[in-house]
Amino acid sequence: MTTQQITTQQMTTQQPFTFFLNQFEARIEGVEPLVRRLSSLRGQFLDQSAFDAILAQGDPMLYKVYAVDRPGVDGELSSGLTILHPGKVGDEYFMTKGHFHAVLETGEVYYCLGGRGMMVMETPEGDWHVAEMTPGAVVYVPPRWAHRSVNVSIAEDLVFFWVYPANAGHDYGAIERQGFRKLIVAQEGAPAIVDNPRWLPPAQR
Ligand code: S6P
Ligand code: ZN
């Protein structure tokens, strides 16, 4: 075993351990990434015919997630690296699915390592916020805020490290139903924040 391999034992016992984030190759040594493709975001992009047209040619990879998961108990922290590729569906930039944490009262820290992006956030009450993601930006996602990352660069990957409570879990349901309140689209070549017409305020759902 080299010092760069992360083992199952290290990921499940309470012994200290080190893992290596290879910033230049954008991966975590010894971890198999989870791959998310366009088809897993069906219904999330505004332009459904553009979505179908891309899928007719194949199912491109949108992002990869290298997760160093820890046991889902109080006090443990999971962390990892996400690489979100550039691209658009119609005028809308490639993005992650986005989620609330299943344990709503849990936050998360994101540290942007490369690329240019925006993080779209909202609360169950409909408050929203968009934070810029540029190298060096540390975005704090407070408890209760759903979060989605959007790559607004033309050609560069958006690369970010994150840490959150290992027992937080993910709740994708609300976002799958109606998406986020705000969308990020290209307007005259620059990213713009626009209303999502599918989104309804809590009282009208
Ligand atoms: C986990 C954290 C990230 C995202 C990842 C992919 O709480 O926020 O690991 O899971 O960036 O996003 P998503 O919405 O597909 O899980
Ligand atoms: Zn999260």
Side-chain angles (χ1 to χ4, degrees):
M1 187 185 74
T2 72
T3 52
Q4 298 211 331
Q5 291 302 310
I6 182 166
T7 67
T8 307
Q9 191 193 10
Q10 285 171 323
M11 287 172 77
T12 53
T13 64
Q14 284 194 308
Q15 291 300 307
F17 67 96
T18 300
F19 62 86
F20 288 83
L21 189 160
N22 185 330
Q23 196 173 335
F24 303 101
E25 293 176 21
R27 61 190 165 89
I28 290 178
E29 308 289 359
V31 174
E32 271 307 305
L34 165 90
V35 168
R36 284 240 212 253
R37 296 186 178 277
L38 182 66
S39 55
S40 67
L41 274 88
R42 177 169 293 284
Q44 291 300 307
F45 290 97
L46 199 53
D47 189 338
Q48 186 62 47
S49 53
F51 180 91
D52 290 337
I54 298 174
L55 269 193
Q57 304 293 315
D59 190 5
M61 183 199 297
L62 260 51
Y63 55 103
K64 267 195 288 198
V65 180
Y66 292 86
V68 181
D69 285 324
R70 293 288 303 163
V73 296
D74 271 359
E76 288 280 1
L77 298 171
S78 289
S79 57
L81 184 73
T82 300
I83 297 98
L84 173 57
H85 297 313
K88 281 192 292 215
V89 176
D91 291 330
E92 203 173 350
Y93 298 100
F94 280 4
M95 59 193 184
T96 59
K97 275 171 77 79
H99 55 265
F100 286 94
H101 288 163
V103 179
L104 194 58
E105 299 293 338
T106 53
E108 184 156 353
V109 172
Y110 275 65
Y111 174 43
C112 181
L113 295 162
R116 207 159 57 88
M118 289 186 170
M119 191 193 295
V120 181
M121 290 172 261
E122 75 183 46
T123 66
E125 293 75 32
D127 295 327
W128 65 274
H129 183 83
V130 174
E132 288 204 24
M133 298 173 84
T134 50
V138 182
V139 180
Y140 181 68
V141 182
R144 309 187 79 258
W145 287 76
H147 38 287
R148 159 181 283 165
S149 310
V150 182
N151 185 342
V152 301
S153 153
I154 291 173
E156 241 185 316
D157 284 342
L158 177 67
V159 182
F160 51 91
F161 180 73
W162 39 266
V163 186
Y164 73 108
N167 61 356
H170 296 103
D171 173 4
Y172 292 99
I175 304 302
E176 280 171 354
R177 277 191 293 282
Q178 62 170 15
F180 279 75
R181 182 170 183 171
K182 298 290 175 181
L183 305 174
I184 311 295
V185 297
Q187 282 181 359
E188 290 164 15
I193 303 169
V194 300
D195 286 335
N196 169 10
R198 288 173 52 230
W199 190 89
L200 291 172
Q204 292 175 34
R205 285 174 201 163

